[in-house]
Amino acid sequence: MKAAVVTGFARPLEIQDRVIPLPAAHQVLVRMEASGLCHTDIHAAAGDWPVRPDIPFVPGHEGIGIVEDKGEGVDRIHVGDRVALAWLAEACGHCDHCVSGRENLCPEQRNSGYSVDGSFSEYAVAHGDYVVKVPEGVDPLDAAPLTCAGVTTYKAVKVSGAGPGKRVLISGIGGLGHLALQYARIAGAETVAVDVTDAKLRLAHELGADHVVDARTQDVAKEVRGLGGADVAIGLAASNASLRAAYDALRRHGTLVLVALPADGRLELPVFTHVLEGKSVIGSIVGTRQDLAEVFRLHRLGRTRVIREQRRLKEVNEAFADVLAGRITARVVFDFR
Ligand code: NAD
Ligand code: ZN
Ligand code: ZN
């Protein structure tokens, strides 16, 4: 089988021929149909974050495929099922986070495409309890971006308190942002979309953003405060400056949800105004298996649109470069079929 492998940080990925893995107990073997390319894969391959993956590794955590085989002790999933391989490859299942609906915070978790080989591969093994079934009627090419970009922003919107009467700023209308905008609208909020490329700003209009701000030519905080300020800002651009601009756009009692993870990510806060204006800053990391099931259900009902471009896995390095140069609207999906 072919897999795209990181053999050194900031080196081009290599397409390698590997042996198809055998599913161990509690594992399933998945034949990949589609895998999204998340900006996290680019951070992973560049070694951008304080905890780096062990080299070599296969990135990818928006994998969709068909179960071809399974090890002992897998009862819930059957050969022939279509499943999603998300960032949460597995968790311990018994810590306080796991047992109270916060498995995405489990300190023992393993992550697809980071600490275990991911979905940039024709086949992958995955834990049978942690793959999520993709409902009939959801196109695998749509399901792929929903598996990280979708679930992450669905969760971020949920924890943000967005709802009717709230003004929500979405900073970065990329893979994550174009779905965040849709979830904020589903929640009933007024939306402000911010980006730095013409194509993304056009996309934001098309997806029904109430206001669109071009961070290249406009002062984001000033524009949004001119509207009355943001009750919620969701930071989805891998840029420290964009996170601070989103914070500065908040109105009193506003909440900034940090999602993007820029290399050397930092946010300096003005303590005095933070306290006097009663603001909050929270972090949000992907979502749970249940959140992903809800994301698939909403899509199945026709409430979300996934904007994507298909590529072949052998074009992985060009695809990375295109994401970094802002040439993709909004997600690359590798089509293995
Ligand atoms: P992307 O490259 O598809 O989208 C980023 C968008 O930000 C692009 O549209 C880009 O034009 C825009 N942008 C760049 N600079 C900007 C600025 N100054 N102001 C406004 N917009 C700007 O990336 P993505 O796949 O959507 O991922 C975004 C970030 O989220 C990455 O850092 C990724 O690692 C992170 N991420 C976090 C989680 C989580 O669970 N917390 C999950 C997935 C991804
Ligand atoms: Zn991701
Ligand atoms: Zn746990």
Side-chain angles (χ1 to χ4, degrees), residues 35-41 49 60-64 84-88 112 119 142-156 175-180 183 236 259 261 284-288 291-292 295-296 331:
S35 175
L37 162 52
C38 179
H39 207 118
T40 289
D41 299 311
W49 296 337
H61 56 272
E62 289 187 344
I64 304 297
L85 278 62
W87 175 252
L88 190 71
S112 309
S119 56
D142 284 350
L146 294 174
T147 296
C148 178
V151 74
T152 299
T153 54
Y154 177 72
K155 186 69 161 187
L176 268 62
H178 90 285
L179 285 157
Y183 294 126
L236 302 172
V259 176
L261 292 157
S284 188
I285 174 79
V286 294
T288 62
D291 292 316
L292 182 52
V295 159
F296 285 150
R331 203 53 145 191

Side-chain angles (χ1 to χ4, degrees), residues 245-267:
Y247 176 84
D248 288 336
L250 292 176
R251 64 196 296 262
R252 288 177 175 241
H253 199 57
T255 300
L256 170 64
V257 185
L258 296 176
V259 176
L261 292 157
D264 192 30
R266 261 161 232 285
L267 176 64

Side-chain angles (χ1 to χ4, degrees), residues 33-219:
E33 298 178 289
S35 175
L37 162 52
C38 179
H39 207 118
T40 289
D41 299 311
I42 298 178
H43 292 302
D48 273 349
W49 296 337
V51 181
R52 287 173 148 199
D54 291 333
I55 294 227
F57 72 97
V58 177
H61 56 272
E62 289 187 344
I64 304 297
I66 304 293
V67 174
E68 283 220 334
D69 193 7
K70 58 182 192 172
E72 270 173 49
V74 179
D75 304 319
R76 193 182 61 95
I77 301 288
H78 305 288
V79 169
D81 284 351
R82 175 170 288 134
V83 294
L85 278 62
W87 175 252
L88 190 71
E90 57 188 275
C92 80
H94 48 73
C95 71
D96 62 329
H97 300 295
C98 278
V99 299
S100 53
R102 298 192 303 264
E103 61 194 19
N104 50 326
L105 299 182
C106 175
E108 304 291 323
Q109 70 184 273
R110 310 213 316 143
N111 300 115
S112 309
Y114 212 85
S115 51
V116 302
D117 280 342
S119 56
F120 288 4
S121 185
E122 288 175 327
Y123 288 84
V125 286
H127 197 297
D129 287 341
Y130 284 85
V131 295
V132 173
K133 280 192 198 175
V134 181
E136 203 61 49
V138 173
D139 184 331
L141 294 170
D142 284 350
L146 294 174
T147 296
C148 178
V151 74
T152 299
T153 54
Y154 177 72
K155 186 69 161 187
V157 167
K158 257 191 182 178
V159 301
S160 74
K166 303 286 186 196
R167 188 176 298 114
V168 176
L169 181 161
I170 312 288
S171 172
I173 308 297
L176 268 62
H178 90 285
L179 285 157
L181 174 57
Q182 298 179 59
Y183 294 126
R185 284 171 46 81
I186 289 169
E190 177 183 342
T191 51
V192 188
V194 181
D195 207 286
V196 291
T197 79
D198 293 337
K200 301 290 172 53
L201 298 170
R202 262 197 314 275
L203 177 63
H205 273 299
E206 265 172 44
L207 293 173
D210 297 298
H211 316 273
V212 174
V213 179
D214 182 345
R216 290 170 301 188
T217 55
Q218 291 173 288
D219 178 335

